[in-house]
Amino acid sequence: MRTCVVIPAYNEARRIGEVIPQVLDLGFEIIVVDDGSRDDTPEIAKNFPIIIVRHFLNQGQGAALKTGTELAIKLGFDFIVHFDADGQHEARNIAELVEVLHDYEVALGSRFLCVESEIPKKKRMILMLAKIFSQWLLQLEFSDPQSGLRAFRASAADRLDWQKNDFQHCTEILNLIIRNELRYKEIPVKINYDDYSTSKEVKPKISMGWKLIINKFID
Amino acid sequence: MTIFQIIILILIAIVCFKAVRKLLKKEISFLLFASWIGLWLIVALIAIFPSIVNRLADFVGIGRGVDLIIYLSIISLFYMLFKINLRQNKIEKNISELVRKIAMENYHDGKTKDDV
């Protein structure tokens, strides 16, 4: 069974050179989707024996993940893992997610099932609000709806045709998992927070909530 | 004729002149030109004979002609905003699909050092 780790990257020259070898050392194949970076991200990625696919315009993480996932399916991989390029995710969790895929179609990483993650107070509060928002308004019963660490069987990923390019793709993917009645399991994962990864995060805005609510009703 | 009417007519003339130039340069379609000119001719007609709107307002049960124009303008502007929003979303989606398609067809395989 072949596993492909899809890493979307936008201006990640500072970190991508550390993240790629961590995943390669565990024997996984990698597709890096450079999402129109203006720094040396693609040049650094080209130093490794991996597949690199490039958006000539920045499209957002949702689009980058979709490109990487579709390419992985096209190239015949059996399992597909979404993994961040900023060093927040731990490579050792990939094997745990893939292990789950022998019994389930989707494996979702959750930082709230793990005591190891030292989530900054402000970040924890934002995530808890996002969780309450997802559970009450969007009716998504997941412990960590904003988690970007997830794995799919290729057959399951093929059924998840998410359209949102921006931050909304996380919620949309969860919605599609429910709508397609895919069997999923959440597992504890450790998320590393440092100044770099925290500075790269999308700052929460009230308009994000409105967008999610409007899309919930339109869909 | 009042100063306000003259200003309005001069502005309309400028808008129509620009529309004709754009048509001659083939920057806009004839349909868009005709709709644009048609709209401004109606505005010119109302500016010269404001009583037309008052009669129309009476007919549909709105007190003043000016109120009728404001109501219709607001409804038209909202509709145009909605249409522009739809068009913008469609363009963004098309650009995204194009970017993704080109990317998928030109990936670099670092194991074989091949550009596909």
Side-chain angles (χ1 to χ4, degrees):
Chain A
M1 291 289 206
R2 291 171 68 208
T3 300
C4 177
V5 179
V6 174
I7 306 179
Y10 175 61
N11 292 342
E12 296 284 3
R14 269 180 66 189
R15 210 34 87 74
I16 194 89
E18 297 166 27
V19 172
I20 292 171
Q22 286 170 14
V23 178
L24 283 177
D25 286 350
L26 297 173
F28 297 110
E29 295 183 69
I30 297 177
I31 292 178
V32 164
V33 185
D34 171 43
D35 192 21
S37 296
R38 282 164 292 164
D39 63 4
D40 294 333
T41 301
E43 285 74 24
I44 294 169
K46 276 190 177 176
N47 293 325
F48 299 95
I50 59 171
I51 293 166
I52 301 160
V53 56
R54 182 137 211 250
H55 287 172
F56 68 86
L57 287 176
N58 177 246
Q59 292 297 299
Q61 197 185 33
L65 285 170
K66 195 171 178 187
T67 301
T69 304
E70 281 184 16
L71 186 59
I73 293 169
K74 187 177 153 189
L75 296 175
F77 286 96
D78 302 291
F79 300 136
I80 297 150
V81 181
H82 291 173
F83 195 85
D84 281 0
D86 59 7
Q88 279 202 345
H89 296 155
E90 295 233 336
R92 66 183 164 98
N93 288 138
I94 296 172
E96 295 165 24
L97 287 165
V98 171
E99 186 64 32
V100 171
L101 294 181
H102 290 100
D103 300 312
Y104 295 85
E105 292 166 295
V106 181
L108 301 165
S110 168
R111 72 200 100 183
F112 293 115
L113 300 174
C114 180
V115 288
E116 278 183 80
S117 291
E118 287 175 13
I119 308 170
K121 270 185 190 168
K122 191 178 162 195
K123 178 75 184 170
R124 183 179 286 273
M125 204 173 78
I126 292 166
L127 287 169
M128 288 310 286
L129 283 172
K131 188 175 159 182
I132 293 167
F133 184 83
S134 293
Q135 287 179 344
W136 284 22
L137 279 163
L138 309 177
Q139 278 124 37
L140 292 171
E141 295 288 335
F142 294 90
S143 68
D144 189 358
Q146 295 306 308
S147 172
L149 184 55
R150 52 181 91 85
F152 313 93
R153 285 187 195 172
S155 56
D158 203 22
R159 291 163 63 190
L160 302 175
D161 184 25
W162 64 92
Q163 300 294 318
K164 304 292 178 206
N165 291 350
D166 57 7
F167 72 97
Q168 297 180 81
H169 74 272
C170 287
T171 314
E172 193 185 5
I173 288 173
L174 298 181
N175 252 322
L176 288 167
I177 289 170
I178 300 294
R179 202 177 293 170
N180 284 287
E181 298 177 348
L182 297 177
R183 286 177 295 112
Y184 70 90
K185 185 180 181 186
E186 291 182 288
I187 66 160
V189 293
K190 190 187 173 201
I191 306 292
N192 299 311
Y193 292 98
D194 58 19
D195 291 343
Y196 175 75
S197 62
T198 310
S199 70
K200 296 274 295 180
E201 281 178 348
V202 179
K203 304 283 177 286
K205 292 177 193 158
I206 292 172
S207 59
M208 293 177 169
W210 281 119
K211 271 189 179 179
L212 288 169
I213 293 172
I214 289 166
N215 283 320
K216 169 78 181 170
F217 287 111
I218 290 174
D219 289 346
Chain B
M1 193 173 278
T2 65
I3 295 173
F4 181 70
Q5 283 173 311
I6 294 168
I7 292 171
I8 293 277
L9 290 174
I10 291 171
L11 288 175
I12 291 169
I14 293 170
V15 169
C16 290
F17 175 69
K18 284 193 169 184
V20 171
R21 265 188 19 183
K22 280 187 186 292
L23 180 75
L24 291 175
K25 284 184 186 172
K26 294 183 177 173
E27 288 176 13
I28 54 171
S29 68
F30 183 76
L31 186 68
L32 184 62
F33 169 77
S35 322
W36 195 233
I37 293 290
L39 173 78
W40 289 108
L41 283 180
I42 292 170
V43 176
L45 212 61
I46 292 168
I48 299 167
F49 308 107
S51 58
I52 298 173
V53 196
N54 286 335
R55 260 179 265 156
L56 198 64
D58 273 345
F59 178 72
V60 292
I62 295 170
R64 295 186 308 166
V66 157
D67 291 344
L68 177 69
I69 291 175
I70 291 170
Y71 294 155
L72 289 177
S73 303
I74 290 173
I75 292 168
S76 311
L77 286 173
F78 269 114
Y79 179 70
M80 277 161 64
L81 268 180
F82 175 70
K83 291 287 280 185
I84 290 170
N85 193 262
L86 283 183
R87 179 70 64 90
Q88 187 195 336
N89 282 345
K90 197 181 167 197
I91 291 170
E92 277 178 12
K93 201 175 170 185
N94 286 347
I95 290 173
S96 190
E97 276 182 20
L98 184 69
V99 169
R100 293 183 52 256
K101 193 167 188 279
I102 291 171
M104 296 264 290
E105 286 173 358
N106 298 286
Y107 66 87
H108 168 83
D109 192 338
K111 279 182 281 183
T112 57
K113 297 284 175 195
D114 284 342
D115 287 327
V116 179

